[in-house]
Amino acid sequence: MPAFVPSVFLGRAPTTSSLFCPAVTSLRVVPRGVPSQRVTPAMMAAPTVLEERAKAADFSTACFTKEEITLAGTTEYIVRGGRDVFPALPKAFTGVKKVGVIGWGSQGPAQAQNLRDSFQDAGVDATVTIGLREGSSSMKEAEKAGFTKESGTLGEMYKVISDSDFVVLLISDAATAMCYKDVFKAMKPGATLGLSHGFLLGHMDSIGESFPEDINVILVAPKGMGPSVRRLYVQGKTENGAGINCSFAVENDATGTATDLAIGWAIAIGAPFCFQTTLRNEYRSDIFGERCILLGAIHGICESLWRRFVMQGMDQEEAFIRSTESITGPLSQIISKRGIKAVYEDMNDADKAVFAKSYCAAYEPAYEIVIECYEDVACGNEIRSVINSGMRAKRFPVISPIDGTQMWKVGETVRSKRSSSPPPPVDPFAAGVYCATMMAQIDVLLEKGHVLSEIINESVIESVDSLSPYLHARGVAYMVFNCSFTAATGSKKWAPRFDYNLTQRAYTAIDNEDSLNTGLMDEFLNHKIHPAIAECAKLRPSVDIALTGSGADDAARSNL
């Protein structure tokens, strides 16, 4: 836990996010270590993170094998996936004859193709049909993947919804917030609504609405982008266990079969293992995570480091290697295979001293932004921000390329020379800043009451196993432009905050030789997250994601 107490817990002036959070009626002052949350009238009925955590403490399954795991002294339950589990899929999908996958953006292509392939291999008697707006430019892309009107596997979205027993709603979050009532009206009683993000529930929480009681509502959230979900699934056809870990949740269980259907869905799209959460805790951790270490924070960190190294007189290409290449390459690989602590343990004494200094300088400035971001998600600010961005997109493009500055042009040159250059070393200064930010994110989620499996998957595994390979292969700025609409809007909003706070507070503290809180290193080295990460690492995909060729298939938004 952090060695300092954020001002929100001391009753001092609220952070910027609370000043602009509409209809805030109270701000609870609580002791350190006790989860806090901003409260609005519409959110008064929404369960807290801890109440949601209790709902997801255990589950029953009639189709799959439930395993118990122990993480830092706490018990959780998982289901292991893989193609050897496919024989259980027909029972899990009992009563489902038609699956309608709505949307062809980030997750749609991957999940639709994975479901179709798995049904065929497992003998599931169900058809996967794509539902899109009439005249959608994505129709041609869906046809290229083998979904056609002639075969009855491609059609107008509301017609597909009304015909489907299982509706997998994968349109953008902003669009979902605009049309969810029409989706509910189109669904037949007893059908299942599947979501891969809790965003819709977050929006409905903020306005005091709930799901219809006569349908199942479940969630399967892959811990990676759609292109990752497809690439690793394809690899899994020859390497059992290759895939993207998924969380699953049941919000409504109108038929009594929702849990097994959710787990079956996760396994059918290729999850090596599945862990339980709730829709609320998923959106609280996921929207937050992509604005922080997954995308927003790493973008801000890399730009701040490159600029600092160049100002210190370092060659521009060397500065890029020591900032961005170091983080997205060898640093991420170490964390992926052996955990965060191993980054420090691998260093010589001189590099350990540099790491410790940058870690202690960066942790508190990073924590200040991270906790503000979490609370903006929890109070609904970020959800409203995404919806507003979607509305503005009707007037002008909200998401635009950000790789035109000198730093990212240098990055193109560096990547072009990789075949003739040795792998870059782990820069200890950059590693300290990155690890401090990752640990700040972990500590905030712990403080707010999230379970360890969710924290580790959202803050560590998704970052280094799914996002970093793309960031390394294509470029950080490239992936900000090519990620989902929700992630892109959040990253472009929060990355400058991390850049500014690290530059203004962490780096100046080092340059001015200010006294640093060295106790933060002791907390880092003895943190309970390290053995928990090691346990979760045993459940990581059996192979690393393979990225070859151009980035033409990486785009996560259908209009790119």
Side-chain angles (χ1 to χ4, degrees):
M1 298 300 293
F4 76 108
V5 185
S7 62
V8 67
F9 298 125
L10 297 176
R12 297 201 290 268
T15 60
T16 304
S17 63
S18 68
L19 295 174
F20 293 94
C21 185
V24 172
T25 58
S26 64
L27 182 63
R28 291 179 290 178
V29 181
V30 296
R32 174 185 173 185
V34 178
S36 69
Q37 181 174 318
R38 305 178 194 283
V39 182
T40 68
M43 294 173 64
M44 292 297 289
T48 66
V49 171
L50 292 178
E51 289 171 323
E52 290 289 299
R53 176 174 175 168
K55 284 169 52 179
D58 200 358
F59 60 90
S60 297
T61 171
C63 300
F64 303 99
T65 301
K66 182 176 70 173
E67 298 181 34
E68 179 181 308
I69 61 172
T70 301
L71 301 175
T74 62
T75 298
E76 296 189 39
Y77 298 94
I78 66 165
V79 172
R80 204 178 294 265
R83 300 186 74 81
D84 57 315
V85 187
F86 276 20
L89 292 181
K91 184 178 179 181
F93 282 89
T94 297
V96 175
K97 296 297 182 182
K98 189 167 185 177
V99 177
V101 176
I102 312 304
W104 197 263
S106 175
Q107 291 286 334
Q111 292 201 33
Q113 292 177 87
N114 290 7
L115 284 168
R116 181 182 61 187
D117 292 356
S118 293
F119 287 176
Q120 181 177 345
D121 293 347
V124 176
D125 184 20
T127 301
V128 178
T129 302
I130 306 300
L132 300 171
R133 290 178 293 103
E134 281 295 349
S136 169
S137 59
S138 297
M139 287 276 187
K140 292 182 179 179
E141 295 302 315
E143 289 173 349
K144 291 178 183 177
F147 299 96
T148 66
K149 290 183 177 180
E150 291 74 18
S151 66
T153 57
L154 177 62
E156 190 275 330
M157 63 179 286
Y158 289 108
K159 179 63 167 61
V160 172
I161 290 170
S162 64
D163 289 344
S164 297
D165 306 300
F166 180 22
V167 177
V168 182
L169 188 63
L170 299 177
I171 59 177
S172 74
D173 293 328
T176 299
M178 299 301 168
C179 72
Y180 68 95
K181 292 183 180 180
D182 292 327
V183 172
F184 295 164
K185 289 178 183 178
M187 291 184 66
K188 53 189 178 185
T192 298
L193 175 65
L195 303 168
S196 282
H197 198 350
F199 184 96
L200 177 57
L201 180 59
H203 171 61
M204 293 196 300
D205 276 348
S206 71
I207 58 177
E209 294 187 355
S210 58
F211 291 105
E213 295 181 356
D214 62 349
I215 61 172
N216 295 328
V217 180
I218 61 177
L219 170 137
V220 165
K223 300 301 117 184
M225 304 183 305
S228 304
V229 173
R230 182 58 180 169
R231 285 180 189 271
L232 276 167
Y233 177 90
V234 171
Q235 289 176 248
K237 290 184 177 184
T238 55
E239 181 73 29
N240 190 48
I244 294 290
N245 296 338
C246 294
S247 59
F248 72 92
V250 175
E251 181 66 17
N252 280 2
D253 190 358
T255 63
T257 60
T259 298
D260 278 323
L261 181 54
I263 298 171
W265 173 17
I267 291 172
I269 63 172
F273 87 88
C274 325
F275 62 95
Q276 191 179 28
T277 185
T278 68
L279 266 73
R280 286 189 181 87
N281 280 1
E282 193 280 335
Y283 82 70
R284 286 163 174 159
S285 62
D286 186 80
I287 298 175
F288 156 76
E290 64 196 16
R291 280 146 177 74
C292 296
I293 202 64
L294 268 68
L295 206 61
I298 193 173
H299 188 198
I301 288 169
C302 288
E303 292 209 353
S304 70
L305 287 170
W306 183 82
R307 198 169 53 249
R308 175 178 174 80
F309 290 157
V310 170
M311 289 178 65
Q312 290 177 331
M314 193 178 293
D315 174 80
Q316 289 189 4
E317 290 188 16
E318 179 67 14
F320 190 88
I321 290 169
R322 289 190 168 273
S323 56
T324 310
E325 292 281 283
S326 175
I327 290 173
T328 61
L331 178 60
S332 290
Q333 291 168 12
I334 292 171
I335 295 174
S336 171
K337 300 297 195 304
R338 294 186 290 119
I340 308 170
K341 191 176 177 181
V343 174
Y344 176 81
E345 292 174 334
D346 283 358
M347 295 178 178
N348 59 38
D349 289 344
D351 284 351
K352 283 181 177 178
V354 174
F355 177 101
K357 182 176 289 187
S358 66
Y359 182 97
C360 294
Y363 180 92
E364 293 179 7
Y367 187 98
E368 177 183 312
I369 304 301
V370 169
I371 195 168
E372 180 184 346
C373 182
Y374 182 94
E375 292 181 346
D376 268 16
V377 171
C379 80
N381 265 0
E382 281 302 303
I383 290 173
R384 283 186 288 272
S385 179
V386 171
I387 294 171
N388 289 340
S389 294
M391 294 296 292
R392 289 194 297 272
K394 297 177 181 179
R395 298 175 54 200
F396 54 86
V398 178
I399 306 302
S400 54
I402 56 172
D403 56 359
T405 60
Q406 179 63 15
M407 174 186 178
W408 302 114
K409 292 298 183 183
V410 169
E412 292 177 7
T413 302
V414 170
R415 287 192 296 277
S416 71
K417 296 179 179 179
R418 278 182 184 163
S419 60
S420 59
S421 303
V426 172
D427 183 88
F429 189 92
V433 174
Y434 180 82
C435 290
T437 306
M438 180 174 276
M439 291 300 298
Q441 177 166 318
I442 289 168
D443 282 339
V444 165
L445 288 170
L446 281 169
E447 184 175 298
K448 297 300 184 180
H450 290 264
V451 297
L452 283 167
S453 61
E454 186 169 55
I455 293 170
I456 293 167
N457 273 278
E458 296 283 5
S459 302
V460 183
I461 294 175
E462 182 171 1
S463 178
V464 298
D465 282 345
S466 179
L467 269 295
S468 283
Y470 280 91
L471 298 172
H472 194 66
R474 316 297 191 214
V476 174
Y478 173 90
M479 290 314 301
V480 170
F481 179 56
N482 285 281
C483 64
S484 70
F485 185 86
T486 299
T489 55
S491 175
K492 293 181 73 173
K493 176 180 176 181
W494 288 92
R497 297 290 311 282
F498 284 99
D499 184 341
Y500 181 88
N501 227 33
L502 290 169
T503 300
Q504 293 294 325
R505 292 188 55 198
Y507 304 159
T508 55
I510 292 173
D511 293 341
N512 296 336
E513 298 184 352
D514 295 343
S515 60
L516 301 174
N517 183 356
T518 56
L520 288 168
M521 272 305 295
D522 292 332
E523 293 186 11
F524 167 68
L525 294 174
N526 297 299
H527 203 292
K528 70 177 184 179
I529 202 67
H530 300 309
I533 290 173
E535 192 65 28
C536 282
K538 298 175 184 178
L539 303 169
R540 72 184 300 278
S542 57
V543 296
D544 294 332
I545 188 169
L547 291 179
T548 58
S550 71
D553 296 327
D554 298 342
R557 292 189 305 280
S558 59
N559 62 329
L560 294 176

